[in-house]
Amino acid sequence: MTDTGRGRKTLVVGGARSGKSRHAQSLAERAGGDMVFIATAQAFDGEMRDRIARHRADRDQRWRTVEAPVDLARAIAAADAPDATIFVDCLTLWASNLLLGEHDVDRHLREVEQTLAGARGRVLLVTNEVGWGIVPDNALARRFRDIAGRINQAIAARADEVILMVAGIATTIKESARD
Amino acid sequence: MTDTGRGRKTLVVGGARSGKSRHAQSLAERAGGDMVFIATAQAFDGEMRDRIARHRADRDQRWRTVEAPVDLARAIAAADAPDATIFVDCLTLWASNLLLGEHDVDRHLREVEQTLAGARGRVLLVTNEVGWGIVPDNALARRFRDIAGRINQAIAARADEVILMVAGIATTIKESARD
Amino acid sequence: MTDTGRGRKTLVVGGARSGKSRHAQSLAERAGGDMVFIATAQAFDGEMRDRIARHRADRDQRWRTVEAPVDLARAIAAADAPDATIFVDCLTLWASNLLLGEHDVDRHLREVEQTLAGARGRVLLVTNEVGWGIVPDNALARRFRDIAGRINQAIAARADEVILMVAGIATTIKESARD
């Protein structure tokens, strides 16, 4: 099974500034094909706008960018094709958008799981670990940790491959053989 | 050496919502025997009460539950038997109880270490990593990180097996052969 | 390739109280030679002074200690020799000193990278993972996470060996063969 395997799902997980997006992007660009970048980020403020613009400048011109702050399942389904390479960045911002927009997390997560199960393209998803600090003071932050952790577990369970990033170093922590 | 090995001590470590308790519980239920769940949680508020009740509902009826917010060594010793499977959830709440109750952490930790060294049953312990965020503003939180980290290191050093959980994926980071 | 290999660079990374410094120190003491401890800590307050004094008491008398809160490249270069064992503790405090002192992070980082590339001695560097919690409220803490993460990635990329510490357990996540 090569890295470019169609239908293969890879989750890249790690802390902030651990090199997650860069690693997932390099795997995606190696896979090639019809490359779709699905951004879950919303540009609420200048800091986030700068970050989005910087990330966009980092990607090469082969990428088509789609914004999907909430309807991630629909965006993945729309981009999916046997020749597609889909790069979702990132599940943690999606979790945050679901929480702050008071969307039904269970339903949205279930739809993404189903879409991934049926996807024919190569899919790479990036997510943050956010639960390794002390318990946050405020209840909203605790709910966010719960939701983000739940999403990470669900997607990791369905991924063929899970890669942990620490200081830019990739370690494969799950690897499923596929036919 | 099988998973059901008597006298074997396993520490399962990870961030919040990383699937630690679920994984330790599934290892414990596979081991079988006389199953004792030692809960260190204290139901201070509604949020914690809900979490405790939810976790209790997740466990099957074979489990006997013992509460040990502070005297963990005594609870383990009381539950221990060649046929026992003891599941301690979790060391981080225990650390918090020791700190907030102004108990002697060193003495309590030493007692738990000695009890584990002599335990004849299968013991599984769950703990949180809490030191991977930025340094907390308040001194109490910093003391808590220090104590929780010290406990984790001490128990990991004495465990036969240490398992790191990330997004529900288990990675064995320590594995000792046993006679 | 043995642990004592001259010119070899090892980065030890982990959360607070994960046993990073102790592990790096034990690797360094095994390497022996002319042992130089480069401390980036600054004793701003009593808590930090206590921590520095405690760490110093932990090291054996063979160590010579040099303080380098900002000019880390220069301190490494000055200590470097074919027989030197250099232990830098830690990059995260250095990142904090660069940020708070409004120094040019890129320039300082580049100088350290160049110094490491040419170093003839055995070099061990310790650093904290700080980006595994929820996004900090204040902008300065977010900038700190960015800088600390960037430094970790840059040094890890140039290290021959990267070791992840969790609960005192060392896991090698990068290992380069060297001539």
Side-chain angles (χ1 to χ4, degrees):
Chain A
M1 172 82 228
T2 70
D3 245 333
T4 56
R6 297 293 114 201
R8 184 171 179 78
K9 285 96 195 172
T10 298
L11 179 67
V12 180
V13 52
R17 303 292 293 168
S18 63
K20 303 178 303 294
S21 295
R22 187 161 308 197
H23 187 69
Q25 187 183 327
S26 82
L27 292 177
E29 295 183 351
R30 210 183 305 164
D34 181 19
M35 292 158 65
V36 183
F37 180 82
I38 301 181
T40 59
Q42 284 179 300
F44 287 123
D45 58 23
E47 188 178 332
M48 188 55 101
R49 254 195 306 278
D50 288 352
R51 188 177 282 265
I52 292 173
R54 213 166 50 238
H55 281 179
R56 190 181 285 245
D58 275 353
R59 292 191 295 275
D60 73 30
Q61 299 304 315
R62 288 179 291 166
W63 288 101
R64 179 162 56 91
T65 297
V66 173
E67 291 181 13
V70 170
D71 287 328
L72 181 56
R74 193 160 58 181
I76 295 172
D80 187 40
D83 187 42
T85 291
I86 300 168
F87 175 14
V88 178
D89 193 1
C90 71
L91 296 179
T92 314
L93 286 172
W94 179 57
S96 170
N97 295 337
L98 291 177
L99 176 63
L100 298 178
E102 299 182 3
H103 297 281
D104 182 338
V105 173
D106 287 323
R107 181 175 67 76
H108 276 281
L109 177 54
R110 205 165 46 238
E111 286 174 5
V112 167
E113 290 182 60
Q114 288 166 352
T115 305
L116 287 176
R120 298 161 296 165
R122 175 86 172 91
V123 187
L124 300 112
L125 308 102
V126 166
T127 199
N128 264 73
E129 284 293 303
V130 297
W132 297 59
I134 58 167
V135 179
D137 282 334
N138 77 79
L140 186 68
R142 289 198 297 277
R143 281 192 58 208
F144 171 62
R145 291 211 311 178
D146 280 1
I147 291 172
R150 198 144 54 82
I151 290 173
N152 286 357
Q153 286 190 48
I155 303 302
R158 277 141 195 88
D160 302 293
E161 179 182 45
V162 180
I163 297 171
L164 174 64
M165 299 300 297
V166 176
I169 308 295
T171 303
T172 301
I173 58 174
K174 177 182 177 181
E175 173 73 69
S176 306
R178 282 170 61 91
D179 311 323
Chain B
M1 170 85 229
T2 71
D3 245 332
T4 58
R6 297 293 115 200
R8 185 173 177 77
K9 285 97 196 172
T10 297
L11 179 67
V12 180
V13 52
R17 302 292 294 168
S18 63
K20 302 178 304 293
S21 295
R22 188 161 306 196
H23 187 70
Q25 187 182 326
S26 82
L27 293 177
E29 295 182 351
R30 210 182 305 163
D34 181 19
M35 291 158 67
V36 182
F37 180 82
I38 300 181
T40 59
Q42 284 180 300
F44 286 122
D45 58 24
E47 187 178 332
M48 189 54 103
R49 256 196 304 280
D50 287 353
R51 187 175 280 264
I52 292 173
R54 212 166 52 238
H55 280 179
R56 191 182 285 246
D58 274 354
R59 291 191 295 275
D60 73 30
Q61 299 303 312
R62 289 179 291 168
W63 287 100
R64 179 163 57 90
T65 298
V66 172
E67 293 183 9
V70 171
D71 287 327
L72 181 56
R74 194 159 60 180
I76 294 172
D80 187 40
D83 188 42
T85 292
I86 300 169
F87 174 14
V88 178
D89 193 0
C90 69
L91 296 179
T92 314
L93 286 172
W94 179 58
S96 171
N97 295 338
L98 291 177
L99 176 63
L100 298 177
E102 299 182 2
H103 297 281
D104 181 338
V105 173
D106 287 323
R107 182 175 65 77
H108 276 280
L109 177 55
R110 204 164 46 237
E111 287 174 4
V112 167
E113 291 182 60
Q114 288 166 353
T115 304
L116 287 176
R120 298 160 299 165
R122 175 86 170 92
V123 187
L124 300 111
L125 308 102
V126 166
T127 198
N128 265 73
E129 284 292 305
V130 296
W132 297 59
I134 58 167
V135 179
D137 283 334
N138 79 80
L140 187 68
R142 289 197 299 274
R143 279 192 58 206
F144 172 63
R145 292 210 312 178
D146 279 0
I147 292 173
R150 197 144 53 84
I151 290 173
N152 285 358
Q153 286 190 47
I155 303 303
R158 278 141 194 87
D160 301 295
E161 180 181 45
V162 179
I163 296 171
L164 174 65
M165 299 300 297
V166 177
I169 308 296
T171 303
T172 301
I173 58 173
K174 177 182 177 182
E175 173 73 69
S176 306
R178 281 171 61 91
D179 311 322
Chain C
M1 173 80 228
T2 70
D3 245 331
T4 56
R6 297 294 113 200
R8 185 171 176 79
K9 285 96 196 173
T10 297
L11 179 67
V12 180
V13 52
R17 302 292 292 168
S18 63
K20 302 178 304 293
S21 295
R22 188 161 308 195
H23 186 70
Q25 187 183 327
S26 82
L27 292 177
E29 295 182 351
R30 209 183 305 162
D34 180 20
M35 292 157 66
V36 183
F37 180 81
I38 300 180
T40 59
Q42 284 180 300
F44 286 123
D45 57 22
E47 188 178 331
M48 189 53 104
R49 256 196 305 278
D50 288 353
R51 188 175 280 264
I52 291 173
R54 213 165 52 238
H55 280 179
R56 190 182 285 245
D58 274 354
R59 292 191 295 274
D60 73 30
Q61 299 304 313
R62 288 180 290 167
W63 287 101
R64 179 162 57 90
T65 298
V66 172
E67 292 182 12
V70 171
D71 287 328
L72 181 56
R74 194 160 58 180
I76 295 172
D80 187 40
D83 187 42
T85 292
I86 300 168
F87 174 14
V88 178
D89 193 359
C90 68
L91 296 178
T92 314
L93 286 172
W94 179 57
S96 171
N97 295 338
L98 291 177
L99 176 63
L100 298 178
E102 299 181 3
H103 297 282
D104 182 338
V105 173
D106 287 322
R107 182 176 66 77
H108 276 281
L109 177 55
R110 203 165 47 237
E111 286 174 4
V112 167
E113 290 182 60
Q114 287 166 352
T115 304
L116 287 177
R120 297 159 299 164
R122 175 86 170 93
V123 186
L124 300 110
L125 308 103
V126 166
T127 198
N128 264 72
E129 285 291 305
V130 297
W132 297 59
I134 57 167
V135 179
D137 282 335
N138 77 78
L140 186 67
R142 289 197 298 276
R143 278 193 58 206
F144 171 63
R145 292 210 312 178
D146 279 1
I147 291 172
R150 198 144 54 83
I151 290 173
N152 285 357
Q153 286 189 48
I155 304 303
R158 278 143 194 86
D160 301 294
E161 180 182 45
V162 180
I163 296 172
L164 174 64
M165 298 300 298
V166 176
I169 308 295
T171 303
T172 301
I173 58 173
K174 176 182 178 181
E175 173 73 68
S176 306
R178 280 171 61 90
D179 311 322

